[in-house]
Structure formats: C-alpha cells, structure tokens
Amino acid sequence: MGLSAGGGGLLWALLAGIGAFIFFTSLLPSAAWLKLDAQGFTYRIAFREHRYNWADIRSFGVLTRRYLGIIPVSRIVCFTFTEEHKKTKSLLLRMATVIARFDGQLPDNYGMKARDLAALLENCRLQAESHAVAPDLARFRSASFSGVNRVS
C-alpha cells in the first residue's frame, strides 16, 4: 500500500505550519538583538547567541551586496579577526576569509544604517583597545534603534 493522493497535501500543510511557526517566532522581540558592553558584543539570531570580544576583532567594515555586480541590493556590517584569533580557526574558515575579505558578519543592522552601526562598533572597539571607559551608548537608544542595547 502506498500513500494516497491526499497524504501529500497533509505533508505540505505540516511543512508550511512548521515554516510559519519559525517565521512568527523570529518576529518576537527576544529572538534577535545586539548588546554591546566593555568586553565585546553579543548578538542573538533565532534565539542563539554569538559572543565576540573586542580584543579578538581587528576592524569593522561594510560589505555591499550587489545584483549582477552593479546594482546595490543591501549593506551589512562585517568584521575581521585579529591574527592571533585567526590562528585558532580552521583551515577552511581561513580560506573563506581570503575570498570574502571578512571573517564574520552581523545578521542584521538592527534598525541602523550599516555604516552608522559599523562606526559605532569600531568606536567601541577602539575605546576598549585603548583601555578607556566604555562609551556612553544611551544616545543611540531610541525607537528606531531599539535592537541595540548597552549592558552595564
């Protein structure tokens, strides 16, 4: 006995339901955020956290994704690790860095323009590098930048 013709529709409905559940849970405020502190930054995407220390980051930049190499589609904030941190990474990751020019990227711009967010992160990194007090990020807290928070 095989599956009846109606069985395939049930499977597709189940997959669509799972997809809808994942989509709507990603819209929850606690599903994605970026937190900056004196030691580094943490971002959460799909309830999974990623933590990086300022000491492990060499620089931040903006990568422009282009359609057909001409038309800008989106801009994202990327970062490059220090040479000491790169030594702990796998050969495959180091080869990908040569191709992409960056070691990692943020999944979102958190309501900010990519260049503004990159400048903010670079400023925080430079201040941490010079052993200065963490910058006052209160001026960046507003309704349009609600995804970026500073942890005391």
Side-chain angles (χ1 to χ4, degrees), residues 69-121:
I70 301 170
I71 303 167
V73 176
S74 66
R75 290 178 174 83
I76 56 171
V77 176
C78 299
F79 51 90
T80 306
F81 291 123
T82 60
E83 292 303 320
E84 295 80 26
H85 188 72
K86 284 183 184 180
K87 292 177 184 175
T88 64
K89 297 298 177 186
S90 68
L91 177 63
L92 186 61
L93 182 62
R94 285 184 273 164
M95 288 172 38
T97 301
V98 171
I99 296 169
R101 298 186 346 234
F102 293 104
D103 297 315
Q105 71 181 34
L106 295 179
D108 190 15
N109 291 334
Y110 304 99
M112 298 177 73
K113 290 187 176 185
R115 69 173 181 265
D116 295 339
L117 181 57
L120 172 66
L121 292 167

Side-chain angles (χ1 to χ4, degrees), residues 7-135:
L10 183 61
L11 178 63
W12 284 112
L14 178 66
L15 290 175
I18 291 171
F21 176 76
I22 292 171
F23 171 76
F24 285 113
T25 57
S26 70
L27 295 177
L28 294 173
S30 61
W33 45 253
L34 173 66
K35 290 184 182 177
L36 310 175
D37 59 30
Q39 288 77 34
F41 66 97
T42 306
Y43 70 85
R44 177 186 278 184
I45 186 74
F47 298 103
R48 184 171 176 205
E49 293 184 15
H50 302 270
R51 171 88 182 146
Y52 297 98
N53 293 323
W54 298 123
D56 296 333
I57 305 293
R58 184 175 67 200
S59 65
F60 288 93
V62 175
L63 178 68
T64 303
R65 294 181 180 161
R66 298 180 182 273
Y67 176 70
L68 299 175
I70 301 170
I71 303 167
V73 176
S74 66
R75 290 178 174 83
I76 56 171
V77 176
C78 299
F79 51 90
T80 306
F81 291 123
T82 60
E83 292 303 320
E84 295 80 26
H85 188 72
K86 284 183 184 180
K87 292 177 184 175
T88 64
K89 297 298 177 186
S90 68
L91 177 63
L92 186 61
L93 182 62
R94 285 184 273 164
M95 288 172 38
T97 301
V98 171
I99 296 169
R101 298 186 346 234
F102 293 104
D103 297 315
Q105 71 181 34
L106 295 179
D108 190 15
N109 291 334
Y110 304 99
M112 298 177 73
K113 290 187 176 185
R115 69 173 181 265
D116 295 339
L117 181 57
L120 172 66
L121 292 167
E122 185 66 16
N123 183 34
C124 292
R125 185 192 69 79
L126 290 172
Q127 287 193 4
E129 186 178 88
S130 66
H131 304 293
V133 177

